[in-house]
Amino acid sequence: MTQYRLSDWLPTTKKEVEMRGWSQLDVILFSGDAYVDHPAFGAAVIGRAIEAAGWKVAIVPQPDWHGDFRDFRKLGKPRLFFGIAPGCMDSMVNKYTANKRLRSEDAYSPDGRHDCRPEYPTIVYTHILKELYPDVPVVLGGIEASMRRLTHYDYWQDRLRPCLLHDAGADLIVYGMGEKAIVQLCALLDNGADEACIHALPQTVFLTRKDAIPQGITADDIVLHSHEECLRNPKAEAENYRHIEEESNRWHAHRLIQCTGDIATVVNPPYPPMTTQELDASYDYPYTRLPHPKYKGKRIPAYDMIKHSVNIHRGCFGGCAFCTISAHQGKFIVSRSKESILREVQKVAESPDFKGYLSDLGGPSANMYGMGGKDKQLCMKCKRPSCIHPAICKNLNTDHSALLDIYHAVDSLPGIKKSFIGSGVRYDLLLHESGDPHTDNAAKAYTRELITRHVSGRLKVAPEHTCDEVLRLMRKPSFALFERFKEVFDRINREGNLRQQIIPYFISSHPGCTALDMARLAILTKRLDFQLEQVQDFTPTPMTISTETWYSGYDPYTLQPVSSAKTTDDKLAQRQFFFWYKPEQRHAIEQYLRRLGHPELARQLFGPGGARPTHSTEQRPAASRNRPQASSPHGTSKRPNHDTDRDSHHRQTHPGHMRRRGRNDR
C-alpha cells in the first residue's frame, strides 16, 4: 500500500504551497466540491492537467463565501488566472429535487453537509474574486458553466437567463471536458498572447461587442435568435436548441453567436474528440485517489460511491433528450487502452479497504466501449444527435468483443474477485442484429456474461417509459424492446439457477407525457410483476432538449407543440401511478381515473381483488423477484441522487458518470 505525504495532493493552503517551495502560483482553482484527488472529480483532473504541463496550481475547495473572504485571499494573486470549478453536478440539481425540496444530503461535501457551498457558486465566487482582484482573469468551467453557455431556461428561477458570463462577470468559459483547452489557455497567457488569440481558442465562450466579433460574422457561423427574441417568443428559444445540440455533437462544428443587447456571446467550436493516448494521459496523472487529508474522519458520499469503480471510456452516442452527457462530453466514444484500465484497477486493488469487488467497470453507458463509426469520414460530416435513435446507424460498429476482452483481463488480475457493472446498460445495442455474425455473436456472449458474472443481484436498465410517443420524444427505444430483453434476462437466470432482479428506471412528467400514459405504464409494469422504486419526476436541467421542450412548449426539431405537466398537482398526479400498489394510493388513483373518464383503467390496475399488499423483494419467491423493493413516493432511493429523483444526470452525474460513469462534469 502506498504511503502518501501531504505534498502528494495539490496544495490547498499557503502552508502546502510553501512546502513545495513556491512563492507564487500560476493558477488557483476554486471548487464547489470537496477536494478528492481522483479522476472522477473534475477539479482534480483539471488541476493535475495544469500541473503536468508545468505550471504551479492549487485548489481551494468549498471556500467560505461569508465575512471577510479570507479563503479567497489566502493564496494571493495567481500569475495567470483564477479558475472556478463549481462542482461535478449543477449546484441547483445537487441541492434540490424535482419538486424543489432540499435533498437529504450534498454528496460532494464532507458528511453530506448542505452549508459548504452557495447556490450558483459560479456567480458567487466570481463576484468575490472580481471585487478582490479586478485585474485577474476569471475562467469558468464545470457542468454549471458548460450547460449555461447560452440563453437557457432556469427551472429554479422559472425564467430564461442569458449566458452565464453575463451574470457572473467572468472573462471566459471553458466548456465540456476541458483538459486540452485549459492547458492551451495557460500557454497562451504565459506567452503574453493578445485577446484575439485567446478568443480564437477552441471550446471556449466569451463576450464581445456586436461590432467587435473576431473576423465578423461569416458564412460558416450560426447566428442564433437573440436573448431578447427568446424572451418574447418561446418558439425562438426552441429553434435555437436544435442548432446548439447539433453543434455540440459534430466532429467539425460551427461557431455559434447569440446577442444580448449590444453584447454578443461567441461559442467557439469544440476540439475534436481526444485520442486514446490523450485520454490515457488524463487517467495516468499521479492521483492519490483519496480525499485530501483535511477530511480525515469525515464521509464524502460521492467518493464512497465510486472509490472502487473504474471508468473505461468517455462520451455517449445515445442522445437521450433529457441528458446532458453529449452536450458536455460529446457523442463520440473515446476509449481508454486496456493497459491504462488495468493500471487503474491495480491501484484500486491496492486500497486498504478493497475486498476484491469492483463496484463498476463502466462509463456514461456501460456497453459502448470501443464503439464508433466504421467510416470515420461519414462521422465527421454527421450532425445526428444520436447514433441509435430512431434506429441504430448502419455505420455504427456495435461489436462488444473489445469490452469482453477488458472484462476478462480485469477479472484475471490478482486480487480481483468480481467486477460488477453498475453503469446503465443499453439493451438496444445488445438486441441489435447487425447482419455481421461476429458482431451479433459477441452481443449474445456479452449479454450472457453480463448477466451471469457481472450483476450484483440487480441489473439496472432504463426503459424510462412505456408509451411510444413519450419514448420518441425522449429518444429511447420502444418498450417492446425492454420486454424482449427481460425475456432474455429471465431465461439466462433460469438456465443458471440465478435469483437476480432487473431494475428498470422510469420518468414521469416528461414533455409529452400525460396522466393516462402513466396509468398505462402502471398497468403494463404490473403485468410484468414490477413494483417500481427507481423513479424520477422529470427535472428540467439546463441545456437539454427535453428542458427546452418543457419550457417552450415546442419540439426543437419539428417546432410542433408539445404539452407538459408543469403544476405541482399535475406532476404529483402523474407520479402517483408509480406507487399504485400502496393501499393508501388506491382511492386517489381510482377517483382520478374516474374524473378523466377512464374507470376501466382502474379496474385493469386493481382488478376485482384490489391492490396487492406490499412485500419486499427478499420476501417474495424467486418467480416474482423481478419486483424491486418499494419506496414511498417521497422516500429515499438507493441511487446516489437522493429522494427518488434520478437527475437527468442528466443525468448529470453522480460521480462515476460522473454518476457511476466516469467524470463528465468538469
Side-chain angles (χ1 to χ4, degrees):
M1 183 185 72
T2 304
Q3 296 294 321
Y4 290 107
R5 301 166 299 173
L6 183 59
S7 58
D8 290 322
W9 281 262
L10 295 173
T12 66
T13 64
K14 186 175 182 180
K15 176 183 176 182
E16 292 168 40
V17 171
E18 292 171 347
M19 286 173 61
R20 294 193 172 210
W22 297 344
S23 58
Q24 185 182 23
L25 292 157
D26 297 313
V27 178
I28 301 174
L29 302 177
F30 287 87
S31 172
D33 290 342
Y35 172 32
V36 180
D37 191 39
H38 187 285
F41 291 77
V45 176
I46 294 300
R48 290 296 186 180
I50 294 170
E51 175 191 53
W55 287 284
K56 302 180 182 69
V57 59
I59 294 178
V60 180
Q62 300 188 316
D64 185 353
W65 67 100
H66 306 91
D68 61 2
F69 306 143
R70 65 184 63 186
D71 284 344
F72 293 88
R73 301 173 185 269
K74 65 182 182 182
L75 299 183
K77 180 190 296 189
R79 196 170 60 86
L80 300 180
F81 63 87
F82 290 111
I84 296 179
C88 290
M89 288 178 65
D90 183 277
S91 64
M92 303 304 284
V93 176
N94 186 52
K95 187 170 183 178
Y96 296 106
T97 71
N99 289 326
K100 301 183 180 180
R101 291 198 307 271
L102 190 68
R103 293 193 183 279
S104 56
E105 64 180 6
D106 180 336
Y108 295 87
S109 294
D111 292 333
R113 289 170 49 186
H114 278 293
D115 60 349
C116 296
R117 79 177 91 216
E119 295 180 359
Y120 304 103
T122 299
I123 296 173
V124 174
Y125 295 172
T126 302
H127 286 176
I128 293 171
L129 290 170
K130 283 298 186 182
E131 178 184 330
L132 296 175
Y133 306 101
D135 58 331
V136 180
V138 175
V139 179
L140 310 181
I143 196 77
E144 190 162 88
S146 189
M147 298 297 101
R148 297 169 185 267
R149 59 188 185 255
L150 288 157
T151 294
H152 58 279
Y153 174 67
D154 187 292
Y155 174 64
W156 298 274
Q157 295 191 349
D158 191 25
R159 66 184 179 100
L160 284 188
R161 299 183 66 163
C163 169
L164 186 61
L165 289 172
H166 284 275
D167 289 331
D171 299 274
L172 199 71
I173 291 174
V174 172
Y175 67 88
M177 307 297 279
E179 301 103 317
K180 293 177 75 170
I182 204 73
V183 168
Q184 186 60 31
L185 176 63
C186 289
L188 290 172
L189 291 172
D190 206 14
N191 292 326
D194 61 17
E195 185 177 83
C197 288
I198 293 170
H199 285 176
L201 182 63
Q203 211 161 310
T204 60
V205 185
F206 62 91
L207 302 182
T208 187
R209 296 191 322 274
K210 280 199 294 189
D211 59 2
I213 296 171
Q215 294 86 48
I217 297 175
T218 72
D220 288 334
D221 294 331
I222 295 177
V223 180
L224 303 172
H225 294 294
S226 70
H227 178 68
E228 290 78 12
E229 176 61 21
C230 292
L231 289 173
R232 288 191 297 269
N233 179 11
K235 187 181 281 190
E237 171 73 357
E239 191 173 10
N240 276 355
Y241 267 80
R242 174 171 185 168
H243 298 298
I244 292 169
E245 183 182 50
E246 287 178 343
E247 299 310 311
S248 296
N249 286 290
R250 296 191 70 169
W251 200 291
H252 300 296
H254 296 89
R255 187 170 67 165
L256 298 175
I257 297 171
Q258 183 183 36
C259 290
T260 303
D262 293 329
I263 301 299
T265 301
V266 181
V267 180
N268 287 326
Y271 279 98
M274 276 182 151
T275 65
T276 291
Q277 292 73 26
E278 288 171 330
L279 186 58
D280 284 354
S282 183
Y283 279 88
D284 288 343
Y285 295 138
Y287 304 103
T288 63
R289 298 184 60 85
L290 296 168
H292 190 276
K294 68 183 290 184
Y295 305 115
K296 185 177 181 180
K298 296 179 180 178
R299 178 181 65 95
I300 300 175
Y303 171 70
D304 290 342
M305 286 181 277
I306 55 83
K307 62 182 177 180
H308 296 152
S309 69
V310 173
N311 188 52
I312 63 177
H313 77 265
R314 177 180 294 182
C316 179
F317 50 68
C320 297
F322 47 77
C323 183
T324 63
I325 292 175
S326 64
H328 193 67
Q329 291 195 13
K331 72 176 181 181
F332 297 105
I333 303 300
V334 183
S335 300
R336 296 171 65 184
S337 68
K338 180 164 71 172
E339 293 74 22
S340 175
I341 294 168
L342 295 180
R343 282 195 295 272
E344 187 175 1
V345 171
Q346 288 171 327
K347 289 181 181 178
V348 173
E350 293 171 1
S351 303
D353 60 345
F354 183 68
K355 307 300 183 184
Y357 300 96
L358 286 175
S359 60
D360 188 23
L361 192 61
S365 286
N367 57 319
M368 290 185 182
Y369 179 86
M371 295 184 184
K374 301 168 190 173
D375 183 346
K376 292 294 189 289
Q377 294 302 313
L378 291 178
C379 292
M380 291 180 185
K381 299 173 184 176
C382 178
K383 61 179 183 180
R384 276 180 59 175
S386 171
C387 301
I388 55 179
H389 189 273
I392 293 179
C393 177
K394 293 180 180 179
N395 188 45
L396 181 64
N397 168 25
T398 59
D399 189 357
H400 286 75
S401 298
L403 186 52
L404 281 169
D405 183 48
I406 294 293
Y407 289 0
H408 298 159
V410 167
D411 289 347
S412 68
L413 289 175
I416 302 299
K417 297 177 182 177
K418 200 173 186 68
S419 57
F420 296 115
I421 308 306
S423 305
V425 174
R426 289 298 304 226
Y427 52 82
D428 43 355
L429 289 174
L430 299 181
L431 298 175
H432 175 58
E433 295 180 358
S434 69
D436 176 65
H438 171 81
T439 298
D440 294 347
N441 288 334
K444 292 175 183 176
Y446 176 86
T447 303
R448 180 169 290 277
E449 174 153 337
L450 171 73
I451 294 170
T452 58
R453 299 184 61 185
H454 299 284
V455 176
S456 59
R458 312 174 102 204
L459 177 65
K460 297 184 294 293
V461 295
E464 306 295 9
H465 214 283
T466 59
C467 171
D468 280 349
E469 177 55 23
V470 177
L471 290 167
R472 182 190 66 79
L473 289 167
M474 291 178 168
R475 297 200 193 118
K476 297 289 289 187
S478 170
F479 190 71
L481 208 61
F482 169 76
E483 293 181 281
R484 279 181 54 199
F485 181 71
K486 182 180 180 301
E487 291 173 359
V488 173
F489 181 86
D490 290 344
R491 174 176 54 80
I492 291 175
N493 272 278
R494 285 194 304 271
E495 292 170 355
N497 195 28
L498 301 171
R499 295 165 64 87
Q500 299 184 138
Q501 303 170 64
I502 189 168
I503 307 298
Y505 295 166
F506 290 95
I507 294 176
S508 60
S509 300
H510 187 274
C513 179
T514 68
L516 289 178
D517 293 327
M518 292 301 299
R520 294 182 179 109
L521 180 152
I523 292 166
L524 187 48
T525 54
K526 174 190 174 182
R527 288 173 183 166
L528 292 173
D529 202 27
F530 285 110
Q531 286 183 1
L532 304 178
E533 69 167 0
Q534 297 291 0
V535 299
Q536 174 194 357
D537 190 17
F538 172 68
T539 307
T541 55
M543 207 174 165
T544 71
I545 291 296
S546 294
T547 293
E548 297 306 321
T549 304
W550 190 89
Y551 161 73
S552 69
Y554 296 96
D555 180 332
Y557 280 78
T558 66
L559 297 183
Q560 294 300 306
V562 178
S563 62
S564 299
K566 292 192 174 183
T567 69
T568 300
D569 287 346
D570 286 345
K571 290 163 76 71
L572 290 176
Q574 290 200 21
R575 187 180 177 85
Q576 68 182 334
F577 287 102
F578 285 138
F579 306 99
W580 64 268
Y581 52 85
K582 290 185 168 293
E584 63 269 23
Q585 296 287 342
R586 178 177 179 176
H587 181 66
I589 290 174
E590 288 178 326
Q591 279 194 323
Y592 188 77
L593 289 173
R594 278 197 295 270
R595 285 202 305 272
L596 293 180
H598 286 275
E600 80 283 359
L601 296 180
R603 289 192 294 272
Q604 291 179 53
L605 187 56
F606 297 111
R612 287 179 289 180
T614 301
H615 302 286
S616 73
T617 304
E618 289 69 26
Q619 292 171 328
R620 197 170 294 112
S624 301
R625 292 175 85 88
N626 285 317
R627 190 180 307 146
Q629 182 176 347
S631 66
S632 71
H634 307 298
T636 300
S637 164
K638 292 177 181 168
R639 273 194 115 217
N641 292 326
H642 307 279
D643 306 321
T644 73
D645 283 304
R646 297 185 299 106
D647 295 299
S648 55
H649 85 34
H650 80 332
R651 289 213 178 129
Q652 298 202 187
T653 168
H654 105 37
H657 143 69
M658 226 52 228
R659 199 151 135 246
R660 198 136 42 238
R661 305 181 186 189
R663 100 193 157 263
N664 76 316
D665 296 318
R666 244 177 249 152

